[in-house]
Amino acid sequence: MGRMTPQEFAKGIGEGLLSFPVTHFKDDFSFNEPAYRDHIEWLLQHKPGGLFAAGGTGEFFSLTLDEVSRVTRAAVEQTKGRVPVVAGCGYGTAVAQQFAKAGEEAGADGFLLLPPYLVNPDSAGLAAHVETVCKSTKLGVIFYNRDNAILNEVWLAKLCDRCPNLVGFKDGYGDIELMTRIYARLGDRLTYVGGLPTAETFALPYLEMGVTTYSSAIFNFLPKFAQDFYSAVRRRDHEHVYRELREFVLPYIEIRNRKKGYAVSIVKAGMRAIGRPAGPVRSPLTDLDVAETESLTKLIAGRS
């Protein structure tokens, strides 16, 4: 089977809930490939619309180029074409091009282009960065709008004209007016992905702005809950959505917000809570403490 075109890639990721697998580490913080592959296979049983290998929840920021390649290749080999595999890509322009090349060689179907490292560029410079990375690959690219990488609808429209393989827009910024302007201008030229942490909180209002899917970190440890919640969002079942927000998602967020960096750490704690440990997080992140882990375990117990 041939690799997806960028347009096929965009269509695929827009049709279902997206899973953001953690990257499994051993106690010495090395990549635990067998455990990662086992996790991918378990997630696939719950029918995600796509898998993000070595993304934000997968600790892309702590992985070497070689490790990102290994993680991506493991995900590609394990999925066997059942769902699109989206590889992480980022840092400065030259390094991002290296990640794009490595992802292609590892068999990824497309990329999530994360913000460039440290700098706060002008829109013209950021657009040049995105265009250069897009033109370095034939695969579909999703631009991640967050932190120091924010583009408005005018610059996105220019990039869409220049880069046919820029096919996705993931929003982690949360500006409702900007999101509305982007969707009003570009419509179905892009596939829109919710990327605010925790994405379930924003899923219902974002659906009205053309954001048909989102990446769920909760999918890692409560895949059935995540899929049921997504189904309720898509059918606009407000009663179901707000009940689950009150009873699980908002208490989960309260634990997540206790310390910086817990958006990833809490997911690995959730994995431990269901008996599918993924190892520790790498520094500079820290794992949840005992009391926080106990609170999360009790919360998850009613949903497993």
Side-chain angles (χ1 to χ4, degrees), residues 18-298:
L18 304 172
S19 177
F20 236 115
V22 296
T23 298
H24 291 58
F25 297 134
K26 299 176 184 177
D27 289 341
D28 65 358
F29 299 101
S30 61
F31 176 43
N32 188 340
E33 184 170 335
Y36 180 73
R37 284 176 174 266
D38 179 72
H39 183 53
I40 294 292
E41 193 60 40
W42 183 65
L43 293 177
L44 289 171
Q45 295 173 22
H46 297 276
K47 303 187 183 307
L51 290 171
F52 285 72
T57 302
E59 298 182 65
F60 171 81
F61 48 84
S62 77
L63 301 174
T64 66
L65 176 61
D66 178 66
E67 287 174 326
V68 170
S69 297
R70 290 178 59 204
V71 171
T72 302
R73 189 176 302 279
V76 169
E77 291 176 356
Q78 198 64 39
T79 58
K80 298 181 176 67
R82 286 173 281 180
V83 298
V85 173
V86 190
C89 182
Y91 298 111
T93 306
V95 175
Q97 289 177 287
Q98 292 178 336
F99 275 106
K101 180 180 179 181
E104 277 198 30
E105 292 174 350
D109 296 295
F111 298 103
L112 175 64
L113 182 54
L114 294 130
Y117 172 70
L118 193 61
V119 296
N120 288 282
D122 177 81
S123 294
L126 178 58
H129 167 75
V130 176
E131 182 175 358
T132 301
V133 175
C134 285
K135 289 185 175 179
S136 71
T137 178
K138 296 179 180 178
L139 302 186
V141 176
I142 303 168
F143 173 69
Y144 201 172
N145 203 61
R146 64 172 293 173
D147 297 324
N148 60 323
I150 309 298
L151 288 173
N152 65 22
E153 73 281 9
V154 175
W155 283 102
L156 276 172
K158 291 178 181 178
L159 282 168
C160 285
D161 287 341
R162 298 169 184 168
C163 308
N165 63 331
L166 177 61
V167 294
F169 178 85
K170 183 176 182 182
D171 185 62
Y173 185 47
D175 185 326
I176 300 293
E177 180 186 319
L178 175 59
M179 191 66 230
T180 301
R181 295 202 314 264
I182 289 169
Y183 184 64
R185 179 158 187 155
L186 292 166
D188 61 5
R189 169 61 181 79
L190 295 169
T191 292
Y192 303 92
V193 180
L196 287 159
T198 293
E200 280 82 0
T201 316
F202 309 89
L204 201 55
Y206 261 47
L207 182 63
E208 302 302 329
M209 294 180 286
V211 183
T212 59
T213 188
Y214 52 88
S215 54
S216 173
I218 291 173
F219 200 110
N220 275 283
F221 56 90
L222 288 178
K224 184 179 184 303
F225 168 86
Q227 283 288 21
D228 288 346
F229 189 95
Y230 176 70
S231 295
V233 168
R234 291 303 301 268
R235 66 176 183 269
R236 292 175 169 81
D237 185 342
H238 288 236
E239 182 179 351
H240 181 110
V241 169
Y242 280 98
R243 181 178 67 250
E244 299 292 42
L245 286 173
R246 287 192 303 270
E247 295 180 3
F248 180 78
V249 178
L250 295 179
Y252 171 86
I253 289 173
E254 191 278 325
I255 299 170
R256 183 204 72 196
N257 287 345
R258 290 181 189 176
K259 291 180 184 174
K260 292 181 178 180
Y262 267 11
V264 176
S265 305
I266 196 171
V267 180
K268 284 199 165 177
M271 297 287 293
R272 289 192 290 274
I274 65 165
R276 299 184 65 87
V281 293
R282 283 181 174 177
S283 61
L285 299 183
T286 57
D287 287 300
L288 272 64
D289 65 26
V290 173
E292 291 161 344
T293 300
E294 288 178 353
S295 297
L296 179 64
T297 301
K298 289 178 182 178

